[in-house]
């Protein structure tokens, strides 16, 4: 059905403005739509598989005939009026010819020109050692390349382990082979992982292998870089490195920086201390000491000052942080050549997981310890290096053969996770990166299901279409845990979070996922709205001060003025005695403008805050610190998109409060969900896999991110392409990429990373 009754008028999908689809969808959810033929309740379908249409709620398969007057084409006029929030043809309900802006683009399939072939299957193995045959009897199957990586135990080895190629199996089988076939002392083997979970998983898997036992496995030195090298520090200088001296919590480090920030008048509400902590970690992991920092911007200078003060505080308090564990051990070995030699004798073999993610201090430590025997097995995939902001550098993997000239390179190019259709799509995306080891992954199965491109109007419709698709699949037997929805940054997840939160679908989010409405810029904008409704809201008043370039001490002055002048705290701000007359004039103007906000729609109010109150000036003066991850002005654009869904400021504020509470509740419930949809950044999804993956916002500005595009940084662009590659290769059976027509209110352009796929796209 193409028509429905809404508020006593006949509406047609073909004549609705494209932007109104989501409004009509919401109206259907609220029971405000009815069938023009039988008067039963109907809803608007917004999904991926079919075009938008109205359907009966109580009988989905029922389809009445559309009620539609037929008009002669010469009667059609192009004049429109605003009616109930929709753009409708003036003087009539339905017209014969659809307008161009009503076009709904149907999904398209990415069809590979490379057919699946059994020739892609790994070669049979011959002349296998007895232990590998024993492993096969225990269900541990190894292909030819995997077997070669397992058996090459002497000398340096670089294992290029592509996505889904079974690298964990290779690492554990290699360890077992070294212990049982080669009788290597387990105490001479160091197995390094990037997470404690990965280390525990490997030890657990080892215990299932033939001839393995707890006594033998426990003698292996396994763990993360931090855990292994901290144990060394603790053994040699227990007093200095006692855990009582460790700054364990982020709030402890944050507090040190904020105290230091007072010396240069940095506002807690204005300066991004969390990003400064991240930058300090980057410098430390890159072995850049405070006096070696070369600031590239005003923000860098402030962060460098905080870095110096932070290190001074720790030295004076005799404390250390997690990054110091690696730096401290590195410095210990450099200062004690004899001690270094003892450890070089002790550890003869090194197995390093996720080698593409090592940073400078980690790499230097491995080079030092392996200096005598050179038995380093580095397992990684340069195509999955996505943590440069933490100091990780795929260059160490790419230059491995320079530092270890006798190294052998083995490529694991069989993907055991994803279908042929997904693997060929991933290959097409990543092949355009120039700084990489050439490899082409091959799938082990084909399910005939091509990856899908779908074209929502904007973020709101994108979220609706995905949730509809998931509901359809669950109704056909799929489990919630089969699905993952991946995005480039947390800010981009606002709409999908809200749609899931208002559904009955269970879902989980990252433990550090901040509610969109709790983001600093968004909170400041909402604070103006709150003050317009309650002029004595001191929390809101505190949140607007940074954007007006006022210190937090102004709160006390305004409280005093409000008592003396018998007025609200907002009005009292107009009585502040400031250094310059133009400041006083501006503050009085802000008071008047803020009071008038309550008479505006949410969208118009945000526009006033941004332009007339001068919020954009604040963002420009604030500098580029937010551009390290996301530009602050983007938050305003996202908030404008969200605000369009609400008719009043009260409704928007209530929604924001509800979503913030839901965010906390869902994070707290994470541990209790065993079967739930995963909502995650691409970074957090690395190493995981799902039957069906949706990647939202695959447009320029989202992925690749604006920051990489605006800075014309080729290395950053290549990392963004690797991010998309990682996202695509999380999918096992089905992959959906969303290309919204609009992003943050502006026309969007398909991600440049999808250009190689265009010739293979079919409707």
């Amino acid at each position: 059905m193409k028509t429905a009754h809404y508020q006593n008028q006949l509406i047609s999908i073909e004549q609705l403005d494209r932007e109104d689809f989501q409004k009509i969808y919401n109206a259907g959810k609220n029971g405000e739509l009815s069938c023009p033929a039988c008067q039963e309740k109907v809803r608007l379908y917004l999904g991926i598989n079919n075009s938008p249409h109205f359907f009966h709620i109580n009988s989905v398969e029922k389809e009445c005939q559309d009620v539609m007057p037929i008009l002669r084409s010469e009667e059609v006029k192009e004049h429109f009026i605003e009616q109930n929030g929709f753009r409708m043809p003036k003087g009539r309900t339905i017209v014969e010819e659809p307008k161009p802006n009503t076009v709904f683009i149907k999904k398209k399939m990415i069809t590979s020109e490379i057919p699946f072939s059994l020739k892609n299957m790994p070669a049979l193995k011959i002349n296998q050692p007895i232990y590998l045959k024993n492993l096969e009897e225990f269900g541990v199957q190894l292909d030819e390349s995997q077997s070669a990586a397992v058996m090459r135990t002497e000398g340096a080895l670089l294992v290029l382990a592509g996505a889904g190629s079974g690298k964990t199996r290779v690492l554990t089988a290699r360890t077992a082979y070294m212990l049982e076939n080669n009788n290597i002392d387990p105490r001479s083997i160091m197995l390094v992982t990037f997470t404690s979970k990965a280390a525990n998983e490997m030890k657990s898997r080892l215990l299932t292998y033939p001839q393995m036992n707890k006594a033998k496995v426990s003698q292996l030195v396994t763990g993360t870089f931090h855990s292994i090298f901290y144990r060394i520090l603790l053994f040699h200088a227990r007093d200095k490195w006692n855990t009582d001296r460790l700054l364990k919590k982020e709030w402890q480090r944050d507090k040190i920086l904020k105290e230091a920030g007072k010396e240069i008048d940095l506002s807690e509400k204005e300066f991004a201390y969390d990003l400064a902590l991240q930058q300090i970690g980057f410098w430390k992991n890159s072995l850049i000491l405070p006096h070696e920092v070369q600031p590239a911007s005003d923000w860098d200078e402030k962060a460098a000052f905080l870095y110096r003060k932070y290190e001074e505080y720790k030295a004076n308090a005799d404390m250390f942080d997690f990054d110091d564990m690696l730096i401290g051990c590195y410095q210990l070995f450099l200062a004690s050549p004899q001690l270094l030699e003892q450890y070089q004798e002790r550890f003869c073999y090194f197995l390093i997981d996720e080698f593409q993610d090592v940073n400078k201090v980690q790499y230097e430590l491995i080079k030092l310890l392996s200096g005598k025997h050179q038995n380093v097995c580095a397992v990684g995939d340069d195509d999955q290096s996505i943590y440069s902001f933490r100091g990780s550098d795929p260059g160490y993997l790419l230059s491995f053969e320079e530092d270890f000239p006798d190294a052998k390179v083995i490529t694991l190019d069989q993907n055991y996770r994803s279908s042929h259709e997904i693997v060929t799509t991933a290959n097409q995306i990543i092949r355009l990166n120039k700084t990489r080891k050439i490899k082409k992954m091959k799938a082990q199965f084909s399910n005939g299901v091509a990856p899908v491109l779908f074209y929502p109007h904007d973020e709101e419709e994108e979220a609706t279409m995905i949730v509809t698709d998931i509901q359809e699949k669950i109704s056909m037997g799929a489990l919630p845990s089969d699905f993952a929805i991946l995005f480039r940054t947390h800010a981009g997840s606002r709409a999908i979070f809200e749609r899931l939160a208002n559904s009955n679908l269970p879902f989980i989010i990252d433990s550090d996922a901040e509610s969109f409405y709790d983001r600093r810029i968004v909170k400041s904008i909402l604070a103006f709205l709150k003050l317009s409704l309650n002029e004595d809201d001191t929390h809101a008043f505190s949140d607007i001060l940074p954007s007006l370039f006022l210190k937090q001490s102004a709160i006390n002055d305004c409280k005093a003025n409000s008592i003396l002048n018998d007025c609200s705290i907002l009005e009292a701000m107009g009585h502040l005695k400031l250094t310059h007359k133009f400041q006083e004039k501006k503050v009085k103007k802000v008071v008047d403008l803020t009071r008038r906000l309550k008479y505006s729609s949410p969208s118009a109010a945000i526009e006033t805050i941004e332009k007339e109150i001068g919020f954009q000036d604040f963002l420009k003066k604030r500098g580029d610190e937010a551009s390290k991850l996301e530009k602050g002005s983007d938050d305003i654009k996202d908030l404008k998109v969200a605000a369009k869904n609400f008719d009043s400021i009260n409704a928007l504020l209530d929604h924001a409060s509800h979503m913030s509470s839901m965010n906390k509740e869902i994070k707290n419930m994470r541990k209790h969900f065993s079967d739930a949809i995963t909502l995650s950044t691409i970074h957090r999804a690395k190493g995981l896999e799902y039957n069906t993956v949706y990647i939202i916002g695959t447009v320029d500005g989202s992925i690749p991110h604006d920051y990489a595009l605006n800075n014309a940084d080729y290395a950053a662009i290549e990392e963004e392409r690797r991010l998309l590659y990682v996202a695509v290769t999380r999918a096992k059976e089905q992959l959906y990429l969303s290309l919204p027509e609009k992003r943050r209110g502006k026309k969007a352009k398909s991600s440049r990373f999808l250009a190689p796929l265009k010739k293979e796209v079919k409707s």
Side-chain angles (χ1 to χ4, degrees):
M1 284 174 52
K2 296 291 185 182
T3 57
H5 268 133
Y6 173 64
Q7 294 185 350
N8 298 319
Q9 65 174 320
L10 186 65
I11 60 173
S12 168
I13 289 174
E14 294 179 347
Q15 284 306 303
L16 280 175
D17 191 283
R18 189 74 175 83
E19 292 188 357
D20 290 333
F21 278 32
Q22 185 62 43
K23 287 184 179 179
I24 286 292
Y25 174 85
N26 293 336
K29 282 190 70 175
N30 295 331
E32 299 172 22
L33 302 180
S34 61
C35 173
C38 69
Q39 312 308 314
E40 289 184 13
K41 296 293 184 184
V42 296
R43 285 180 58 177
L44 176 63
Y45 173 89
L46 274 181
I48 296 174
N49 291 316
N50 298 298
S51 298
H53 59 273
F54 294 109
F55 65 93
H56 293 77
I57 296 174
N58 296 324
S59 180
V60 178
E61 295 181 359
K62 180 179 179 180
E63 188 167 346
C64 294
Q65 184 139 5
D66 282 316
V67 177
M68 187 180 300
I70 304 299
L71 299 177
R72 295 189 303 276
S73 59
E74 60 267 21
E75 293 179 308
V76 177
K77 295 181 180 180
E78 295 298 327
H79 297 90
F80 295 86
I81 58 171
E82 286 286 331
Q83 198 172 71
N84 296 316
F86 300 101
R87 289 180 70 245
M88 303 298 293
K90 186 176 180 180
R92 53 181 46 89
T93 307
I94 302 296
V95 294
E96 190 177 59
E97 298 175 348
K99 303 188 302 298
N101 66 354
T102 63
V103 173
F104 178 88
I105 303 175
K106 294 182 179 180
K107 69 177 183 182
K108 296 179 181 179
M109 319 299 283
I110 303 173
T111 56
S112 173
E113 294 180 354
I114 304 171
F116 178 71
S117 171
L118 291 176
K119 292 180 181 179
N120 292 340
M121 302 298 283
L124 295 173
K125 304 170 291 296
I126 57 174
N127 300 323
Q128 268 196 325
I130 293 174
Y131 189 73
L132 292 192
K133 291 180 180 178
N134 291 341
L135 282 178
E136 284 197 356
E137 292 177 7
F138 274 74
V140 183
Q141 301 285 335
L142 298 171
D143 63 39
E144 188 174 46
S145 296
Q146 291 174 331
S147 296
V150 166
M151 292 187 290
R152 163 89 180 196
T153 60
E154 301 301 315
L157 174 66
L158 176 61
V159 181
L160 295 175
S165 63
K167 67 179 180 62
T168 302
R169 175 168 292 198
V170 168
L171 278 168
T172 50
R174 191 175 195 273
T175 304
Y177 180 80
M178 291 167 69
L179 295 176
E180 288 305 313
N181 193 81
N182 296 0
N183 294 314
I184 293 172
D185 184 349
R187 293 170 297 180
S188 68
I189 300 174
M190 182 184 289
L191 175 56
V192 188
T193 63
F194 267 78
T195 65
S196 299
K197 181 182 177 183
N200 293 330
E201 180 186 338
M202 287 191 189
K203 284 191 285 187
S204 298
R205 193 178 293 193
L206 273 170
L207 290 173
T208 66
Y209 289 177
Q211 284 91 55
M212 290 291 105
N213 57 64
K214 280 189 178 181
K216 191 176 291 186
V217 172
S218 64
Q219 291 183 71
L220 293 165
V221 178
T222 63
T224 64
F225 276 99
H226 286 85
S227 68
I228 291 173
F229 291 106
Y230 179 59
R231 277 180 268 168
I232 293 174
L233 285 175
L234 204 57
F235 181 78
H236 293 285
R238 181 170 294 274
D239 290 341
K240 181 179 178 180
W241 297 98
N242 190 291
T243 51
D244 293 338
R245 303 180 189 277
L246 174 63
L247 291 166
K248 299 176 184 177
K249 305 293 185 182
E250 186 166 334
W251 67 263
Q252 295 173 302
R253 302 190 292 278
D254 193 57
K255 183 179 179 182
I256 296 169
L257 292 197
K258 287 177 178 176
E259 284 298 318
K262 291 177 181 178
E263 295 184 32
I264 53 174
D265 206 25
L266 289 182
S267 166
E268 291 184 21
K269 287 183 175 288
E270 181 179 343
F271 187 76
Y273 281 99
D274 55 339
L275 292 182
L277 268 176
Q278 181 176 296
Q279 182 63 52
I280 289 170
F282 174 85
W283 283 326
K284 294 181 74 169
N285 287 320
S286 301
L287 289 177
I288 300 173
L289 300 177
H291 67 277
E292 297 172 327
V293 173
Q294 297 181 345
S297 66
D298 178 61
W299 187 86
D300 280 349
E301 285 187 12
K302 293 171 183 174
F305 172 83
L306 296 176
Y307 180 21
R308 187 170 69 252
K309 289 294 183 180
Y310 176 71
E311 293 301 309
E312 288 174 3
Y313 176 91
K314 288 195 291 101
N316 293 333
D318 203 16
M319 302 187 80
F320 64 96
D321 61 19
F322 286 101
D323 293 328
D324 292 325
M325 294 175 179
L326 299 184
I327 296 171
C329 203
Y330 176 67
Q331 292 172 339
L332 174 67
F333 287 148
L334 290 182
S336 310
Q338 190 174 2
L339 181 65
L340 173 60
E341 189 176 352
Q342 290 177 18
Y343 278 98
Q344 287 175 334
E345 289 287 349
R346 161 77 190 276
F347 294 112
C348 304
Y349 299 91
F350 298 86
L351 290 83
I352 306 164
D353 191 18
E354 304 286 8
F355 194 73
Q356 77 279 351
D357 293 332
V358 298
N359 56 41
K360 185 173 180 61
V361 66
Q362 292 166 341
Y363 188 60
E364 293 299 329
L365 278 167
I366 291 299
K367 278 175 62 180
L368 281 177
L369 286 179
S370 65
K372 182 171 184 178
H373 298 287
Q374 299 276 299
N375 294 325
V376 177
C377 174
V379 181
D381 180 11
D382 52 309
D383 289 336
Q384 297 185 70
S385 178
I386 57 174
Y387 294 113
S388 64
F389 63 90
R390 294 198 313 216
S392 300
D393 187 349
Y396 299 122
L397 183 150
L398 295 171
S399 63
F400 185 81
E401 294 157 272
E402 296 175 16
D403 291 323
F404 298 90
D406 297 326
K408 180 178 175 62
V409 179
I410 295 175
T411 301
L412 307 183
D413 60 0
Q414 303 294 326
N415 183 307
Y416 294 94
R417 174 191 300 146
S418 307
S419 69
H420 169 73
E421 293 75 13
I422 292 170
V423 171
T424 52
T425 296
N427 285 339
Q428 286 289 82
I429 289 170
I430 200 61
R431 69 180 175 85
L432 292 186
N433 266 11
K434 295 180 180 178
T435 310
R436 65 185 290 256
K437 295 277 189 181
I438 302 299
K439 68 185 85 64
K440 192 172 184 180
M441 300 303 294
K442 305 177 185 69
Q444 302 307 300
F445 72 97
S446 170
N447 60 3
V449 180
V452 172
L453 300 176
F454 66 102
Y455 303 85
H457 176 69
D458 58 12
E459 300 93 327
E460 300 294 334
E461 195 174 283
E462 175 183 65
T464 297
M465 292 173 76
I466 291 172
V467 170
T468 298
D469 197 63
I470 291 175
Q471 288 171 330
E472 288 173 356
K473 287 178 168 59
I474 288 177
S475 70
M476 296 172 67
L479 299 173
S481 55
D482 290 338
F483 303 96
I485 304 166
L486 307 182
F487 38 86
R488 173 62 179 84
T489 61
H490 282 303
S493 68
R494 191 244 344 138
I496 189 65
F497 175 89
E498 293 178 4
R499 205 70 76 251
L500 284 170
N502 290 324
S503 74
N504 58 357
L505 296 172
F507 71 102
I508 55 175
I509 58 174
D510 294 343
S511 58
D512 63 348
E514 180 185 40
S515 169
F516 171 76
Y517 300 100
D518 288 331
R519 295 172 68 83
R520 243 170 352 133
I521 299 301
V522 176
K523 276 183 74 172
S524 191
I525 294 282
L526 295 180
F528 280 101
L529 302 182
K530 290 176 182 177
L531 272 178
S532 74
L533 301 180
N534 178 7
E535 296 185 13
D536 286 314
D537 187 332
T538 53
H539 290 295
F541 187 77
S542 174
D543 285 335
I544 73 166
L545 293 179
S547 65
L548 301 175
F549 305 103
L550 297 174
K551 297 180 184 295
Q552 288 298 311
S553 58
I555 295 176
N556 294 329
D557 295 336
C558 288
K559 284 181 178 178
N561 281 337
S562 70
I563 295 171
L564 290 172
N565 296 287
D566 191 25
C567 63
S568 68
I569 193 169
L570 174 64
E571 186 178 347
M573 186 170 67
H575 299 292
L576 284 174
K577 299 299 179 184
L578 300 170
T579 308
H580 303 287
K581 285 292 181 184
F582 78 87
Q583 286 180 302
E584 290 185 9
K585 187 176 179 181
K586 179 179 179 179
V587 167
K588 287 177 181 176
K589 176 186 174 185
V590 167
V591 171
D592 182 52
L593 286 171
T594 302
R595 280 181 158 169
R596 284 162 39 194
L597 292 176
K598 60 187 172 188
Y599 303 112
S600 305
S601 68
S603 296
I606 294 169
E607 197 79 19
T608 299
I609 296 165
E610 184 181 13
K611 295 179 179 175
E612 294 186 50
I613 290 180
F615 203 87
Q616 276 292 358
D617 297 334
F618 160 64
L619 288 177
K620 290 174 185 174
K621 183 119 181 178
R622 178 171 166 252
D624 68 346
E625 97 266 1
S627 70
K628 298 288 179 180
L629 291 178
E630 301 175 59
K631 292 195 175 296
S633 58
D634 287 350
D635 286 344
I636 299 180
K637 295 172 188 174
D638 286 327
L639 185 59
K640 284 180 180 177
V641 174
K644 288 180 181 178
N645 298 316
F646 302 95
D647 297 325
S648 70
I649 288 174
N650 253 326
L652 173 60
L653 292 175
D654 287 345
H655 174 76
S657 176
H658 177 58
M659 287 299 111
S660 294
S661 299
M662 286 292 292
N663 183 277
K664 294 183 180 71
E665 184 179 331
I666 289 166
K667 281 196 289 190
N668 291 334
M669 290 296 292
R670 181 184 176 93
K671 296 177 182 177
H672 305 289
F673 282 134
S674 58
D675 184 21
I677 299 162
T678 296
L679 191 57
S680 172
T681 61
I682 299 171
H683 284 97
R684 283 299 182 93
K686 184 174 175 292
L688 303 176
E689 58 185 42
Y690 306 90
N691 285 349
T692 302
V693 168
Y694 303 87
I695 304 173
I696 66 177
T698 48
V699 294
D700 278 356
S702 175
I703 185 164
H705 192 273
D706 277 324
Y707 183 65
L709 293 174
N710 294 339
N711 287 274
D713 186 339
Y714 192 77
I717 291 289
E718 290 218 334
E719 180 160 333
E720 291 290 309
R721 188 180 278 111
R722 293 195 293 268
L723 259 176
L724 182 57
Y725 175 78
V726 167
V728 166
T729 54
R730 298 313 93 198
K732 294 178 0 183
E733 298 176 3
Q734 291 183 290
L735 173 68
Y736 294 86
L737 297 101
S738 168
L739 284 74
E741 179 186 339
K742 286 190 175 182
R743 176 177 177 265
R744 290 172 169 156
K746 292 187 177 180
K747 188 170 179 60
K749 182 181 178 183
S750 168
S751 171
R752 60 195 62 199
F753 299 153
L754 300 181
L757 305 174
K758 286 185 177 178
K759 64 180 182 180
E760 298 178 1
V761 170
K762 295 182 181 178
S763 299

